[in-house]
Amino acid sequence: MSTMSTMSVEEWVERLGGPDGPSRYRRYAVSSVGFMSFCEVGLWTIWVVRGGFGPLVTATVMVLGVAHAGLQLLLWRSALYHYLSLGPRPHGPAAVYTAVTAAMAAWGCVMLSSGRIENGDLTAYMLWLLMFYAGPPVLGLGLRAGAALVAVLSVASVAGAAVAGLSGETLILLIGATAVMVPFMATASLASGWGVRLVEELVAARETQARLAVAEERLRFGRDLHDVLGRNLAVVALKGELAAQLARRGRPEAVEHMEEVQRIARESQREIRSVVRGYRTADLHTELAGARSVLEAAGIDCRIEYGPAARLPTDVQSALGWVVREATTNVLRHAPGASRCTMALRTAGPTTALLVMENDGAPDEEPGTGTGLSGLRERLTGLNGTLAVEHSGGTFRLTARIPWEEGA
């Protein structure tokens, strides 16, 4: 029962957040602020119900409180997008939000001076108001400008409360709580924005790393082809030109040069096959070690079980090495939210090698539609092997089976 409930919670969170990646984390951050706005409206409701105030106080506080909570959510979202360099600095929303906050603070002072509320009521009222106000301006206007604005409004609100008649222990409590909680809320907002930006930078770095790995492999292959074909093609060009000139003159040596061109062409063909064969051969131990290095560099915890790797035939090791290479590439490219990956090489009975790779952070898309997995299936089919993929609850599992014989 607990497993089913846990899975249902995970599925609910996945549906709410959408695909893994920075957009999901950003959505969670905005949702947390939405929850804070909901809590603010709840606190104003509790404040008016508990105080048993008249209809004027109740209506005014609720209207201003709901407007303040809505503006908080709007400004926080705009501030976050500006912090991530995705939007302009939210001067307009910040000005309106500050004006509503100042109006609420002034109304609190009026309520106290007119005898509609007590000192303790104003202390809670002012503290909640300034706490909820502190975060978005600091995130949206920058640390210096935002902190200065929050500090000025906080000092003015506390001073206005003192002028309105707040004194004694309640005034000291308001000053002390404001000095602690307002900076805390501002710092928490900055930390949330910094966390979202850090996630986006990490994902961008991982994508860049994957592209660089592909580019490096292409450069290596191009360099090998250049080294093999560069000299031979130059010789073919010279021999062909010389043979053409000799043929025009009716010299029999032209045949010898053309035979030399034919020999060089065949030799180049063999060398190209050798390069391609080396490029298409993957050493299992090398691929496993390389996969761990790349994944851990990307911040993904990687665990490997080598199992019978040393006893497998060369062709089976090569095929499984390609499975490791392709699966690692898929994790880097298509699972930006991955935090763990396991690679286990086992035996399924005495004649079957089994490689299981599993990672979290998989997107919601249907697996097995890419050309990479199709290519792996074709490669394994040549060895009577199979490739299976499973996708459930954000976890992606790839299972490769290849029959083999001891001593083959």
Side-chain angles (χ1 to χ4, degrees), residues 101-116:
T101 305
M104 287 193 69
W107 176 241
C109 296
V110 170
M111 288 189 294
L112 180 65
S113 62
S114 61
R116 291 185 173 89

Side-chain angles (χ1 to χ4, degrees), residues 55-406:
L56 177 62
V57 171
T58 300
T60 305
V61 170
M62 289 307 301
V63 170
L64 290 175
V66 171
H68 190 266
L71 288 170
Q72 177 196 158
L73 180 59
L74 176 63
L75 177 58
W76 206 96
R77 184 178 184 278
S78 301
L80 178 61
Y81 275 75
H82 168 71
Y83 189 77
L84 299 175
S85 301
L86 299 176
R89 193 180 295 274
H91 290 292
V96 176
Y97 183 57
T98 301
V100 173
T101 305
M104 287 193 69
W107 176 241
C109 296
V110 170
M111 288 189 294
L112 180 65
S113 62
S114 61
R116 291 185 173 89
I117 62 175
E118 302 295 333
N119 285 4
D121 297 326
L122 181 63
T123 298
Y125 178 94
M126 283 292 189
L127 180 60
W128 293 345
L129 177 64
L130 296 176
M131 280 175 53
F132 284 112
Y133 168 75
V138 175
L139 186 65
L141 302 180
L143 182 57
R144 291 185 180 181
L149 181 60
V150 171
V152 169
L153 185 61
S154 299
V155 171
S157 300
V158 174
V163 172
L166 188 66
S167 61
E169 293 181 358
T170 52
L171 178 59
I172 295 175
L173 177 61
L174 176 60
I175 294 174
T178 301
V180 173
M181 296 307 300
V182 169
F184 172 79
M185 294 298 289
T187 303
S189 295
L190 284 175
S192 297
W194 175 80
V196 175
R197 185 167 65 181
L198 180 62
V199 168
E200 299 203 354
E201 290 177 351
L202 287 175
V203 171
R206 182 180 297 176
E207 292 175 352
T208 301
Q209 185 181 41
R211 288 195 297 269
L212 288 176
V214 173
E216 182 179 359
E217 185 64 15
R218 288 175 177 172
L219 287 174
R220 186 193 70 81
F221 186 61
R223 186 169 56 248
D224 290 347
L225 283 180
H226 177 270
D227 293 342
V228 169
L229 293 180
R231 180 186 65 83
N232 290 351
L233 290 177
V235 174
V236 166
L238 292 174
K239 290 283 186 181
E241 181 180 359
L242 180 58
Q245 293 177 358
L246 292 175
R248 292 191 190 100
R249 299 172 185 174
R251 301 286 298 274
E253 292 88 346
V255 177
E256 298 179 2
H257 287 290
M258 289 308 299
E259 290 176 347
E260 181 70 10
V261 168
Q262 186 179 31
R263 185 190 64 79
I264 295 174
R266 289 175 177 173
E267 181 181 347
S268 299
Q269 188 178 28
R270 287 194 299 270
E271 290 178 345
I272 290 176
R273 288 174 179 172
S274 177
V275 170
V276 172
R277 190 181 301 111
Y279 178 75
R280 300 186 63 177
T281 300
D283 179 72
L284 181 56
H285 284 278
T286 301
E287 293 299 331
L288 287 171
R292 169 182 283 174
S293 176
V294 170
L295 292 175
E296 290 184 347
I300 302 174
D301 181 39
C302 183
R303 301 179 182 274
I304 297 178
E305 298 178 19
Y306 286 91
R311 296 186 288 114
L312 297 177
T314 303
D315 55 348
V316 175
Q317 289 196 38
S318 177
L320 293 179
W322 269 99
V323 173
V324 172
R325 181 184 296 183
E326 178 63 27
T328 303
T329 302
N330 285 341
V331 173
L332 293 173
R333 288 183 175 177
H334 305 304
S339 60
R340 62 172 179 82
C341 180
T342 59
M343 308 179 192
L345 184 62
R346 304 164 184 160
T347 55
T351 60
T352 303
L354 183 67
L355 176 65
V356 180
M357 293 190 64
E358 181 178 297
N359 65 274
D360 62 351
D364 295 328
E365 62 189 13
E366 190 68 21
T369 58
T371 57
L373 294 181
S374 299
L376 286 181
R377 287 191 174 94
E378 294 175 0
R379 190 183 297 272
L380 296 183
T381 301
L383 297 174
N384 297 321
T386 60
L387 184 72
V389 294
E390 301 175 40
H391 184 276
S392 176
T395 300
F396 183 80
R397 175 181 293 178
L398 183 148
T399 304
R401 296 173 180 267
I402 302 178
W404 65 290
E405 295 181 4
E406 191 79 40

